[in-house]
Amino acid sequence: MNPAPLPDARTGIAPIAKRPLILGSTSPYRRELLQRLQTPFEVVSPDVDESPLSGEAPATLARRLALAKARAVAANFPEAVVIGSDQVADLQGQPLGKPGNHANAVIQLRRMSGQSVVFQTAVAVVCLQTGFEQTDLAAVKVQFRTLSDEDIENYLQAEQPYDCAGSAKSEGLGIALLEAIENDDPTALVGLPLIRTCRMLRAAGIALLPARQEPA
């Protein structure tokens, strides 16, 4: 019989390599990012109202929704470690979410033209069975170029980023709309800050770099 794994000296939580990992999001961008960790996971859609509260700051909104998504999925999978995430574009304190259609995307990009926008990307990790719950926030400062209507129209026709907060995909052609990006977690702008996510998953007991099993 193999002995039970010893608790981590810092967290007091024993690594449990086989504990289910769930991404509480249907975002293809977050799914692709999490796949980089080469750790098996399932995807479950969270049933969460993403409407902002009256007067709610963008960073507060992102944190609240990330935690709400993780909790909503964890309620049905209490043994699993669940990741929730949310991103809100912060234009001078005003939240900008997903445009949803072409007309709204044009409005958003016109507003952001020549402006500094902070993309607030929150992540939460929850496991009901162990009582684990943490949240973190990655703020990414983005400087947009001064955009002409032709720039905006050509970009939107090419990439159609209507499911992206702020109406632009920095990992794609949207990079041509920008002057600069400032952050400390390179994948945060795409939708999931992996450095922060890895930190919380380790604390939750997920072994991200386990020893590889040799074939029999």
Side-chain angles (χ1 to χ4, degrees):
M1 179 181 295
N2 293 327
L6 295 175
D8 185 281
R10 294 168 298 172
T11 66
I13 298 175
I16 306 175
K18 293 185 179 180
R19 185 174 292 282
L21 178 63
I22 297 177
L23 175 63
S25 171
T26 56
S27 164
Y29 315 112
R30 293 190 179 107
R31 183 174 65 249
E32 289 169 8
L33 288 172
L34 193 58
Q35 286 171 344
R36 295 186 188 183
L37 302 185
Q38 301 182 30
T39 299
F41 67 94
E42 299 295 326
V43 174
V44 176
S45 176
D47 184 14
V48 172
D49 182 359
E50 299 189 29
S51 303
L53 302 177
S54 178
E56 190 172 26
T60 304
L61 172 60
R63 277 186 181 271
R64 177 175 65 82
L65 292 180
L67 185 56
K69 292 174 182 179
R71 285 174 171 172
V73 174
N76 294 318
F77 301 91
E79 78 288 355
V81 173
V82 181
I83 301 168
S85 186
D86 193 75
Q87 184 179 79
V88 180
D90 182 346
L91 177 59
Q92 300 175 355
Q94 297 299 311
L96 299 177
K98 300 172 185 175
N101 59 50
H102 186 87
N104 288 338
V106 169
I107 293 170
Q108 283 194 354
L109 288 175
R110 283 175 176 170
R111 290 183 63 189
M112 294 188 295
S113 174
Q115 300 296 312
S116 177
V117 180
V118 179
F119 285 79
Q120 307 283 4
T121 306
V123 60
V125 174
V126 172
C127 180
L128 289 185
Q129 197 170 78
T130 63
F132 183 88
E133 183 173 288
Q134 284 189 5
T135 64
D136 207 343
L137 183 76
V140 183
K141 185 178 179 181
V142 175
Q143 180 64 46
F144 278 79
R145 295 190 301 105
T146 299
L147 306 173
S148 67
D149 283 349
E150 184 179 14
D151 289 333
I152 292 171
E153 188 64 29
N154 289 346
Y155 170 67
L156 292 178
Q157 291 292 345
E159 202 150 58
Q160 300 182 14
Y162 308 135
D163 60 346
C164 298
S167 306
K169 296 180 183 179
S170 64
E171 71 276 23
L173 183 58
I175 199 71
L177 306 178
L178 310 180
E179 290 283 2
I181 299 173
E182 299 177 23
N183 70 2
D184 65 356
D185 205 332
T187 60
L189 190 56
V190 183
L192 185 65
L194 283 181
I195 292 175
R196 287 166 170 78
T197 301
C198 287
R199 184 184 304 139
M200 289 190 285
L201 290 179
R202 289 193 297 268
I206 295 292
L208 294 176
L209 293 170
R212 300 297 179 184
Q213 298 294 324
E214 295 294 334

